[in-house]
Amino acid sequence: MARISSLIKMIRVGVRDEYHHLMVKPLNSLIFLTYRCTSHCKTCNIWSWGGEKSRELNKDEWLRVLSELKRAKIRSLEIFGGDALLRKDVIFDIIKFCNQNGIHTHFPTNANLCDRETAKNLIEAGLYTVYLSLDDLGEAHDDMRGTHGTFSRVTEALDAFLSLRNSADNPRVILCTTVSNMNFKDLPRIVEFLEKYQIDGIYPRIIGEFNRQNVESSAIDGVLPQPYFVPTDIPTHLLRKEELGEFKEILKYLRGRKSKIYIDFRPFDLADDRTFLEGIHHVKNCRLATTLVTIDPQGNVAACPFFLSYHIGDLKESGIDDIWGNLRHRRFIKYQQKKKLAICQNCNLSVYYPSMAETFSWRLKKALGHYG
């Protein structure tokens, strides 16, 4: 009975998502509160962008933006950065507004600024899900994040959220690990460490890296994309061929040991060797440009999280109905769907916005034991 109920829910959600995609209607939103960051990660370059604090939206401006998103009936909002906790002057009010208006909030954080008081305020505001980044244990994590003491702050934040969250277990507490050539061997140790906690899931993620040639050949109207998953120390942190075989054995081991905590293996299920070795993802029909409203720290709406300079409108000046689906927006979608944007090959977000057919195919293969 539970499987039938799950199937019915999947179909309902799939039909809704397909409708929004085909009609170019907003469904979810991703907002960048700031590009400023407290980490100096080796796998991301957003911290090098800088960003002007004086130009970031204030509380009243963000509440106006949120009112437009509410009017568009979005279902979820991801609060992103940089380090979004550099904007404690607005983040709690944003979460509270969303909670009061039926919008689920999701918040990935490096935890550098997430002390116990901050965790308490996030919970009281109504945060739905927190994603804590943990790429390794101890100093190895600090080294990848480029900031001393980050591992300790992650574990302190983890303890705070688990001890303070309410009886309904809100927020959900998810630990995310970006798997690269720096840490893939340590993934079993990370899982074993996290099994000591009453968390809601472990989400290991394949590292995303954008090929420079693909970036430079993806301009629209003279505007180049701005992907932030770009290594900042050496040319690549993708796996080498000799490492891939070892990692496949690690995945086989983790699947077989049946962790008491849910581990999301989906990104690995949908990957092939080129994903791990070359950073190539097989996007068939992206839903990001059609359903995800991406907003930068100044209130500009971008057509894609990795194309933040291609603005389709400004929510400080215009309503969402005048922006979403306008001619400039549809021009971007046309380029994307005709495979004219080479950077789409390097996009690792598409796996989280699949088509109904892709979701059904994955579930069927999983049920048949295709993934081990």
Side-chain angles (χ1 to χ4, degrees):
M1 194 67 183
R3 289 185 178 181
I4 294 175
S5 177
S6 177
L7 178 62
I8 292 172
K9 181 179 179 181
M10 182 193 76
I11 293 172
R12 285 177 176 172
V13 170
V15 169
R16 178 203 62 194
D17 291 0
E18 290 300 302
Y19 171 76
H20 280 75
H21 167 62
L22 293 172
M23 299 302 293
V24 190
K25 291 175 64 68
L27 189 57
N28 305 292
S29 184
L30 172 66
I31 64 173
F32 288 79
L33 292 191
T34 182
Y35 294 147
R36 296 174 291 127
C37 196
T38 55
S39 291
H40 291 76
C41 297
K42 293 181 177 180
T43 57
C44 172
N45 71 347
I46 200 168
W47 55 267
S48 67
W49 292 7
E52 298 179 32
K53 181 179 179 181
S54 61
R55 296 186 60 212
E56 297 169 355
L57 297 186
N58 60 35
K59 184 180 80 171
D60 291 339
E61 289 170 326
W62 271 120
L63 291 178
R64 182 196 183 286
V65 167
L66 293 173
S67 294
E68 287 298 309
L69 296 179
K70 173 191 172 185
R71 199 159 63 82
K73 299 181 180 179
I74 67 158
R75 63 173 185 174
S76 71
L77 180 95
E78 182 167 345
I79 302 170
F80 208 63
D83 186 345
L85 287 178
L86 287 167
R87 296 301 314 275
K88 290 182 182 179
D89 57 317
V90 299
I91 191 170
F92 308 120
D93 292 293
I94 287 172
I95 293 170
K96 184 177 181 180
F97 177 96
C98 291
N99 186 50
Q100 292 174 342
N101 288 282
I103 301 170
H104 286 164
T105 47
H106 305 270
F107 176 44
T109 177
N110 59 18
N112 284 340
L113 300 176
C114 194
D115 55 20
R116 189 174 181 85
E117 182 66 21
T118 299
K120 179 174 181 291
N121 291 337
L122 290 167
I123 293 170
E124 290 179 349
L127 180 63
Y128 183 71
T129 306
V130 61
Y131 299 98
L132 295 168
S133 297
L134 183 67
D135 290 338
D136 215 317
L137 305 181
E139 293 183 2
H141 174 80
D142 292 358
D143 182 60
M144 279 185 280
R145 290 278 160 171
T147 308
H148 179 69
T150 295
F151 175 75
S152 296
R153 288 188 283 272
V154 171
T155 54
E156 288 167 6
L158 177 56
D159 286 329
F161 278 111
L162 292 177
S163 64
L164 293 170
R165 65 179 177 175
N166 59 37
S167 57
D169 285 342
N170 286 329
R172 296 185 308 151
V173 179
I174 306 293
L175 272 291
C176 296
T177 299
T178 300
V179 178
S180 68
N181 63 10
M182 295 181 288
N183 67 345
F184 77 94
K185 294 181 181 181
D186 292 333
L187 189 56
R189 291 177 56 240
I190 297 169
V191 170
E192 290 170 10
F193 172 79
L194 292 174
E195 285 177 333
K196 298 183 296 184
Y197 296 91
Q198 297 297 313
I199 60 177
D200 299 285
I202 301 171
Y203 286 15
R205 295 293 183 248
I206 304 170
I207 186 175
E209 283 191 4
F210 283 81
N211 178 284
R212 176 52 55 187
Q213 183 176 350
N214 286 344
V215 171
E216 293 175 353
S217 62
S218 297
I220 300 182
D221 300 333
V223 179
L224 284 170
Q226 285 180 289
Y228 40 87
F229 291 142
V230 176
T232 56
D233 56 343
I234 62 174
T236 182
H237 287 296
L238 296 166
L239 298 185
R240 293 183 291 271
K241 190 172 182 178
E242 60 271 21
E243 294 171 326
L244 180 55
E246 185 177 355
F247 182 58
K248 287 181 177 180
E249 288 300 313
I250 289 172
L251 284 178
K252 184 178 179 181
Y253 164 75
L254 289 174
R255 291 179 195 273
R257 68 187 294 271
K258 306 297 182 183
S259 173
K260 64 181 180 180
I261 298 173
Y262 171 71
I263 302 176
D264 182 17
F265 289 111
R266 180 187 173 110
F268 305 113
D269 295 341
L270 301 180
D272 63 14
D273 288 1
R274 293 192 71 193
T275 306
F276 295 102
L277 301 175
E278 303 175 39
I280 300 296
H281 298 262
H282 304 285
V283 181
K284 292 183 178 179
N285 201 350
C286 179
R287 269 75 178 141
L288 295 175
T290 52
T291 65
L292 181 70
V293 184
T294 300
I295 304 170
D296 76 7
Q298 290 79 47
N300 299 302
V301 179
C304 166
F306 298 126
F307 233 114
L308 291 165
S309 292
Y310 190 88
H311 300 158
I312 61 174
D314 182 350
L315 278 172
K316 297 192 304 299
E317 309 294 337
S318 305
I320 189 66
D321 293 338
D322 297 321
I323 297 173
W324 201 254
N326 64 19
L327 290 177
R328 186 169 171 83
H329 184 199
R330 289 183 182 274
R331 176 173 169 78
F332 183 93
I333 294 170
K334 183 178 179 180
Y335 263 68
Q336 193 276 327
Q337 294 184 347
K338 287 192 173 184
K339 312 297 183 185
K340 292 185 177 182
L341 299 177
I343 68 161
C344 293
Q345 297 180 75
N346 301 130
C347 177
N348 64 345
L349 294 183
S350 58
V351 69
Y352 312 118
Y353 299 88
S355 67
M356 183 167 66
E358 289 167 334
T359 298
F360 186 80
S361 174
W362 172 71
R363 285 184 177 270
L364 179 61
K365 289 179 180 179
K366 185 178 180 182
L368 295 173
H370 181 80
Y371 303 117

